[in-house]
Amino acid sequence: MNQDKMYLVNKIFNNETIRTIWDNEDEKYYISIVDIVGILADSREPRKYWNWLKNKINKEEKIELSSITRQLKLKASDGKYYNTDVCDIEGMFRIIESIPSKNAEPIKMWLARLGKERIDETFNPSLAAKRAIDLYRTKGYDEKWITKRLKGIQDRKELTDVWKENGINSDKEYAILTNEIYKEWSGMTAKEYKDYKGLRKESLRDNMDSIEVILTDLSEETTKRLAKKHKPQGLEQNKKIASLGGHAAKVARKDIEKNLGESIVTKDNKLNYEYKDEKLIENK
């Protein structure tokens, strides 16, 4: 699990053992529900407790649990892997809210404070900016990098606003256009680029070096200006413009690499993330 989410889970559960698994298809982490309820309910039979809680949620709260849970193979104490009920981070908080236990109260209070902070940020957006700066400082980024990164976030928002004006409405379409830009200048989709750097949930741009960031900014700024000028409508027309934007960065990349004598697309990531997947031993 990436450092931020590992820190979060460890903090919430006081460093108790919580099994987690990365799902490549969904590109997200899933957490063992049995482990969660066993700790918070202080139950010696967490599976029975989870079955009881599922019935309670279905009966009293009318929630379709299949929308927040699924089954994945997790490693058990015998070293083998068994189908286990899991949920993502959002689902975890939803289940915690339903646990009638004093052990869950501190987490519920923490969630309430978190909600208040987000409401406060709605009325005072500078608080959100300050939170972002503090998080980047905590991760070890220097002030110049943070300034450039916040400017990049603003520039990216301007691009998505232009796409929205041109008939792009869904996150899926935004991702398709972003991939079109990345493929043109780097030769990889955003996911392939993250895989190349050994990343999972971590931000790709947070883990680029300065030249990679500059080329990404160039490709997106070019795309934005071309889209403003030509006003393409719908996904297919915007894909062509996105490709042109990526091409501008591709030309710059080729020229830099010709004179530099090496690729500027690097496997390096900012915080030296490294993931090792265990060999799955099936239960017979």
Side-chain angles (χ1 to χ4, degrees):
M1 180 174 288
N2 74 46
Q3 292 181 0
D4 293 335
K5 285 190 170 62
M6 181 63 80
Y7 172 77
L8 174 63
V9 172
N10 285 344
K11 181 178 179 181
I12 289 174
F13 297 107
N14 297 319
N15 296 314
E16 296 277 1
T17 299
I18 300 290
R19 289 173 296 167
T20 61
I21 185 171
W22 169 258
D23 186 82
N24 281 318
E25 184 176 339
D26 289 349
E27 293 189 305
K28 65 168 63 174
Y29 286 98
Y30 286 94
I31 305 164
S32 168
I33 299 173
V34 170
D35 293 349
I36 294 169
V37 300
I39 292 169
L40 293 183
D42 195 21
S43 173
R44 295 182 180 179
E45 297 182 292
R47 294 186 185 280
K48 288 185 178 180
Y49 186 94
W50 170 230
N51 287 332
W52 170 82
L53 185 61
K54 280 194 287 187
N55 291 330
K56 177 179 180 294
I57 293 174
N58 284 327
K59 182 179 179 180
E60 298 180 6
E61 302 182 32
K62 308 297 183 183
I63 295 174
E64 187 61 47
L65 281 172
S66 61
S67 65
I68 60 174
T69 67
R70 58 178 298 187
Q71 282 203 333
L72 291 174
K73 289 186 180 294
L74 292 184
K75 190 176 183 179
S77 58
D78 62 4
K80 296 182 179 180
Y81 286 75
Y82 300 86
N83 281 326
T84 307
D85 284 343
V86 296
C87 60
D88 60 15
I89 290 287
E90 293 77 15
M92 178 187 76
F93 289 139
R94 183 65 192 86
I95 290 169
I96 289 171
E97 291 173 351
S98 300
I99 297 176
S101 166
K102 63 180 182 180
N103 294 337
E105 289 307 312
I107 299 174
K108 293 178 183 178
M109 291 296 294
W110 178 77
L111 288 172
R113 288 196 301 272
L114 191 64
K116 179 183 180 301
E117 289 173 3
R118 297 301 174 269
I119 292 172
D120 289 343
E121 290 172 2
T122 300
F123 291 100
N124 185 357
S126 66
L127 294 174
K130 181 180 182 300
R131 179 166 57 88
I133 291 170
D134 288 342
L135 283 171
Y136 280 126
R137 284 173 176 167
T138 300
K139 289 183 176 183
Y141 292 95
D142 62 47
E143 299 302 313
K144 288 184 179 180
W145 187 95
I146 294 172
T147 300
K148 291 178 182 178
R149 183 67 181 99
L150 294 179
K151 180 62 168 60
I153 293 171
Q154 180 183 0
D155 291 342
R156 170 69 183 185
K157 181 63 169 61
E158 290 177 359
L159 172 59
T160 57
D161 286 345
V162 172
W163 280 341
K164 188 174 182 179
E165 292 172 3
N166 294 343
I168 303 303
N169 297 305
S170 71
D171 290 342
K172 182 178 180 180
E173 289 179 323
Y174 289 137
I176 290 171
L177 294 178
T178 300
N179 280 332
E180 201 68 27
I181 294 172
Y182 275 115
K183 280 191 297 184
E184 183 60 30
W185 83 259
S186 74
M188 294 178 282
T189 65
K191 183 180 184 304
E192 289 168 343
Y193 207 155
K194 290 176 74 171
D195 289 343
Y196 184 70
K197 283 183 172 291
L199 305 173
R200 287 182 176 174
K201 291 293 285 185
E202 299 81 17
S203 165
L204 175 57
R205 202 169 308 203
D206 283 0
N207 287 280
M208 290 179 170
D209 73 9
S210 57
I211 295 182
E212 289 175 297
V213 170
I214 289 169
L215 291 179
T216 302
D217 289 343
L218 173 61
S219 64
E220 293 191 343
E221 180 65 22
T222 304
T223 299
K224 183 183 72 177
R225 296 197 180 194
L226 289 172
K228 277 187 173 181
K229 181 177 180 62
H230 298 291
K231 300 188 184 326
Q233 293 300 308
L235 182 60
E236 292 306 315
Q237 289 184 21
N238 275 284
K239 281 176 66 176
K240 293 178 181 179
I241 296 297
S243 182
L244 290 175
H247 184 73
K250 181 179 180 179
V251 172
R253 175 191 173 184
K254 285 185 174 181
D255 188 60
I256 294 169
E257 290 180 342
K258 179 181 177 181
N259 292 294
L260 195 61
E262 61 186 37
S263 175
I264 57 87
V265 175
T266 171
K267 287 187 174 183
D268 295 339
N269 60 61
K270 183 67 177 179
L271 299 177
N272 297 316
Y273 294 112
E274 183 179 0
Y275 296 97
K276 295 180 180 178
D277 295 319
E278 295 181 343
K279 183 178 179 181
L280 185 139
I281 304 174
E282 294 282 358
N283 175 43
K284 300 298 183 180

